[in-house]
């Protein structure tokens, strides 16, 4: 499928792509991204995530370190924890019905979109800067026979091609650290219906620590992103008609995932920064669910 096909559905103007040089950098980053930690985990059951996992390790499923099948089992376990993360996000979307539209802002290869559709039967629209990711997600949706309801488009999530007030719920799953939060929440607030739900799962630096630690700076450099503080999230939501309904600290729940991942062959070199910053309190993994008022 060509970029034009997915970006210009019948009756609608072509979707604008990256708008700034930085967004061009991010589009290139995700176009060329093919880390085994993402692809081999997705191959387990065809749900491709670009986010981290939460929950306790099932030690019996992982087996002991001498097990010849250990690596395969660790991959399956890490993937199970990544899908568990999406489940927690979806748990916080509220009561969604099949006729409604959901938006995954920064949808990656589409794992969360597929899970959302499978759970609610709703239409799920995803946006990403990466044409490769959108093609991948749309191909998976076709393979699963759900492409009438699940679609990824190449566009900037700060200017989404959805009507004002047309969306029941929207989310950012580890994608809000690439944009200005005021701009992002203004756009979610625009597309959401009054009473709609917004959810983010994100890493954020902890204002209680003081300033971003050296670990947070390393994570920013590794992913070419700009991690915001917890305070910035809450302030930008308040300024954009998004009223937090739940703020859940997932940090303790994500540490086992990182500690298991650090023992696998899939390490990317950033594991120490995540583990150290979660442990020294400078970085947190949080879910924030907010009502559009
Ligand atoms: C870490 S990945 C997360 C992907 C997905 N949410 C998941 O959980 O698997 C970050 C995603 O944010 C997207 N992204 C970053 N900035 C964006 C922007 N301005 N507009 C649309 N997507 C953006 C990237 O293209 C990428 O798909």
């Amino acid at each position: 499928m060509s970029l034009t096909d997915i970006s210009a559905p019948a009756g609608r103007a072509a979707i604008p792509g990256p708008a700034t040089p930085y967004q061009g950098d991010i589009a290139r980053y995700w176009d060329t991204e093919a880390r085994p930690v993402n692809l081999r985990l997705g191959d387990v059951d065809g749900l491709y995530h670009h986010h981290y996992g939460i929950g306790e390790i099932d030690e019996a499923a992982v087996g002991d370190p001498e097990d010849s099948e250990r690596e395969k089992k660790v991959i399956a376990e890490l993937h199970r924890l990544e899908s568990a993360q999406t489940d927690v996000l979806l748990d916080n979307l509220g009561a969604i019905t099949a006729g409604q539209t959901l938006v995954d802002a920064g949808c990656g290869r589409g794992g969360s979109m597929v899970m959302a559709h499978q759970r609610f039967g709703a239409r799920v629209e995803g946006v990403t800067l990466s044409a490769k990711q959108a093609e991948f997600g749309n191909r998976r949706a076709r393979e699963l026979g759900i492409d009438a309801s699940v679609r990824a488009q190449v566009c900037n999530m700060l200017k989404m091609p959805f009507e004002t007030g047309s969306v029941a719920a929207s989310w950012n799953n580890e994608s809000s650290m690439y944009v200005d939060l005021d701009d992002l929440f203004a756009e979610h607030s625009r597309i959401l219906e009054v009473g709609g739900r917004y959810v983010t799962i994100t890493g954020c630096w902890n204002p209680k620590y003081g300033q971003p630690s050296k670990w947070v700076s390393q994570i920013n450099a590794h992913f070419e992103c700009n991690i915001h503080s917890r305070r910035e999230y809450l302030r930008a939501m308040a300024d954009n008609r998004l009223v937090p309904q739940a703020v859940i600290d997932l940090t303790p729940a994500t540490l086992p995932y990182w500690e298991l991942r650090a023992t696998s062959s899939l390490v990317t070199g950033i594991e120490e920064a995540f583990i150290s910053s979660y442990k020294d309190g400078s970085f947190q993994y949080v879910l924030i669910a907010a009502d559009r008022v």
Side-chain angles (χ1 to χ4, degrees), residues 49-52 82 85-87 89 104-108 111-112 171-178 198-202 285:
H49 301 304
H50 287 284
H51 60 243
Y52 308 123
E82 291 186 1
Q85 187 262 30
T86 301
D87 271 327
L89 189 154
D104 183 345
C107 62
S112 300
W171 66 85
N172 285 99
N173 197 350
E174 292 188 18
S175 54
S176 49
M177 58 290 286
Y178 296 95
Y198 171 77
V199 178
T200 182
I201 295 185
T202 186
Y285 196 50

Side-chain angles (χ1 to χ4, degrees), residues 22-23 26-27 30 48-52 85-86 104-112 127-130 133 153 155-158 171-179 223:
Y22 171 76
Q23 286 165 355
I26 298 306
W30 290 105
Y48 290 84
H49 301 304
H50 287 284
H51 60 243
Y52 308 123
Q85 187 262 30
T86 301
D104 183 345
C107 62
R109 285 189 166 97
S112 300
V127 301
T128 169
L129 289 176
S130 161
Q133 286 189 330
Q153 301 183 62
C155 91
N156 182 356
M157 63 186 163
L158 302 182
W171 66 85
N172 285 99
N173 197 350
E174 292 188 18
S175 54
S176 49
M177 58 290 286
Y178 296 95
V179 287
F223 292 105

Side-chain angles (χ1 to χ4, degrees), residues 4 8 16 46 52 90 92 103 116 132 137 146 156 164 168 180 194 198-199 220 226 245 247 259 266 283:
T4 321
Y52 308 123
L90 299 180
N92 281 275
V103 168
K132 287 273 164 49
I146 57 173
N156 182 356
T164 299
D180 177 275
V194 173
Y198 171 77
V199 178
N220 277 336
N226 173 33
Q245 166 74 17
V247 182
E259 285 169 339
L266 304 175
F283 190 46

Side-chain angles (χ1 to χ4, degrees), residues 49-287:
H49 301 304
H50 287 284
H51 60 243
Y52 308 123
I54 55 173
E56 290 303 319
I57 307 297
D58 180 346
E59 298 293 349
V62 168
D64 68 69
E66 307 311 319
D67 187 339
S68 60
E69 295 284 289
R70 164 93 178 177
E71 190 63 20
K72 215 169 120 194
K73 291 178 178 176
V74 167
I75 287 171
E77 183 63 0
L78 291 172
H79 182 64
R80 185 183 71 80
L81 299 177
E82 291 186 1
S83 289
Q85 187 262 30
T86 301
D87 271 327
V88 169
L89 189 154
L90 299 180
D91 289 345
N92 281 275
L93 289 185
I96 302 294
T97 56
Q100 293 181 309
T101 297
L102 310 177
V103 168
D104 183 345
C107 62
R109 285 189 166 97
S112 300
M113 297 170 71
V114 172
M115 288 179 67
H117 174 71
Q118 287 173 340
R119 185 189 291 208
F120 302 115
R123 174 168 190 81
V124 189
E125 297 273 3
V127 301
T128 169
L129 289 176
S130 161
K132 287 273 164 49
Q133 286 189 330
E135 280 167 20
F136 191 102
N138 286 327
R139 189 170 60 245
R140 274 305 293 144
R142 277 198 305 280
E143 286 164 4
L144 292 167
I146 57 173
D147 51 316
S149 305
V150 173
R151 174 178 65 163
Q153 301 183 62
V154 180
C155 91
N156 182 356
M157 63 186 163
L158 302 182
K159 193 164 185 249
M160 294 188 270
F162 310 119
E163 298 293 323
T164 299
S166 64
V167 170
S170 61
W171 66 85
N172 285 99
N173 197 350
E174 292 188 18
S175 54
S176 49
M177 58 290 286
Y178 296 95
V179 287
D180 177 275
L181 290 182
D182 264 314
D183 295 346
L184 178 68
F185 294 151
E187 183 62 349
H188 279 284
S189 197
R190 183 189 68 75
I191 64 169
L192 281 168
E193 62 191 35
V194 173
R197 176 57 63 86
Y198 171 77
V199 178
T200 182
I201 295 185
T202 186
C204 59
W205 63 266
N206 188 354
K208 206 172 150 187
Y209 187 85
Q211 286 290 319
S213 65
K214 66 177 179 183
W215 304 118
V216 170
S217 300
Q218 275 184 28
I219 296 168
N220 277 336
H222 185 88
F223 292 105
E224 301 181 36
C225 65
N226 173 33
I227 292 162
H228 307 288
S229 70
R230 192 174 77 237
R231 182 184 185 190
E232 287 172 89
Y233 276 94
L234 297 175
R235 187 154 49 197
M237 283 183 184
D239 286 346
N240 288 285
R241 308 189 69 122
L242 295 171
V243 177
Q245 166 74 17
V247 182
I248 305 172
D249 183 2
L250 298 172
T251 312
T254 196
L255 258 170
Y257 166 91
W258 282 97
E259 285 169 339
L260 179 64
R261 178 170 148 158
T263 68
S264 80
S265 68
L266 304 175
V267 286
T268 59
I270 199 61
E271 287 75 13
E272 185 193 6
F274 275 87
I275 293 169
S276 303
S277 59
Y278 284 145
K279 286 190 170 167
D280 72 14
S282 62
F283 190 46
Q284 292 179 300
Y285 196 50
V286 297
L287 177 151

